[in-house]
Amino acid sequence: MSDQIDYGPLEALAGTWEGDKGTDIAPEPDGQEENPYFETILFEKIGDVLNAGKQTLAVLRYHQVVSRKSDRNVFHNESGYLSWDAEQNLVIQGLTIPRGVALVAGGHCPNPESATFEVKAGDNDWPISQSPFMRDNAKTTAFSHKISVTGDTMSYSETTSLEIYGKKFEHTDENTLTRKVTEPLSSG
C-alpha cells in the first residue's frame, strides 16, 4: 500500500451514512409493491491493492443494511467493495447479497474530481453470478447503480433487472442519505 492513495470520486463516500427517504419498488406475483425504507451504509477506506503488478486500485469496503419503515424489519443486507482505477478513470463495484447473488459492475467516471458516477453489470465484462435457485426463480439479468455526493449528502438510484414470476421486472431503489460520521484519517 502506498502512503498517498488517490480514491478519486470514492473519497467523498468514506464514513457512515443514514437515510430515511428510501423507496423500493419490488416485484410481486400479481404486480408490484412499494416499500418506504431507512438504511445505514458504512464506507471504510482499506487502502490500495496491486493487481498482477500492473493495475492499482484504491478500495473502499462497504456494508449496507436496509429496513422497511412499516415494520422495521431488515429486508436487504449487502456487503461489497468499491474500487477506483485512476489510470483508467474506472469505478468497480463488487457486491454480494445473502440471497445467493454476487456481481461485479463497472463504469468510467467522466470527471474524477466529481463524486458522481454510475456502474453497470450484466454483460461479458461485468458479470452477474447467482445460485441455481435464483437463476431459475428470480434471475438478475442486469444491474445499474448511480451515486452522487455533494458535501454530506449522498443520493443514489439503483435498478436491478429481473426475470421473476414469469415476467421481466425493473426492481428499483433510491434514497438520499446524510453523512453521520466521517471516517477518521489514518495516522500514516
Side-chain angles (χ1 to χ4, degrees), residues 50-71:
L50 183 62
N51 284 338
K54 296 178 182 178
Q55 180 190 43
T56 301
L57 301 174
V59 182
L60 297 179
R61 175 179 45 226
Y62 74 92
H63 184 210
Q64 176 186 28
V65 179
V66 183
S67 301
R68 284 185 182 89
K69 284 186 174 182
S70 63
D71 58 15

Side-chain angles (χ1 to χ4, degrees), residues 55 84-91 107-109:
Q55 180 190 43
W84 171 242
D85 179 341
E87 187 174 313
Q88 298 296 317
N89 283 347
L90 181 67
V91 175
H108 287 90
C109 184

Side-chain angles (χ1 to χ4, degrees), residues 13-129:
L13 291 171
T16 302
W17 299 80
E18 294 178 356
D20 64 358
K21 298 172 181 54
T23 303
D24 169 72
I25 307 296
E28 285 295 319
D30 57 355
Q32 66 183 36
E33 70 176 353
E34 184 173 322
N35 292 299
Y37 65 86
F38 62 93
E39 69 185 303
T40 301
I41 307 174
L42 169 63
F43 292 97
E44 298 175 292
K45 293 178 181 178
I46 64 168
D48 59 4
V49 297
L50 183 62
N51 284 338
K54 296 178 182 178
Q55 180 190 43
T56 301
L57 301 174
V59 182
L60 297 179
R61 175 179 45 226
Y62 74 92
H63 184 210
Q64 176 186 28
V65 179
V66 183
S67 301
R68 284 185 182 89
K69 284 186 174 182
S70 63
D71 58 15
R72 305 187 66 77
N73 286 332
V74 172
F75 72 100
H76 185 79
N77 192 320
E78 178 180 315
S79 297
Y81 296 92
L82 282 166
S83 304
W84 171 242
D85 179 341
E87 187 174 313
Q88 298 296 317
N89 283 347
L90 181 67
V91 175
I92 302 166
Q93 180 179 9
L95 69 87
T96 59
I97 59 173
R99 296 176 190 268
V101 178
L103 63 83
V104 179
H108 287 90
C109 184
N111 180 4
E113 302 302 315
S114 166
T116 298
F117 58 88
E118 179 178 13
V119 295
K120 295 182 179 186
D123 61 23
N124 288 337
D125 288 335
W126 305 107
I128 298 168
S129 183

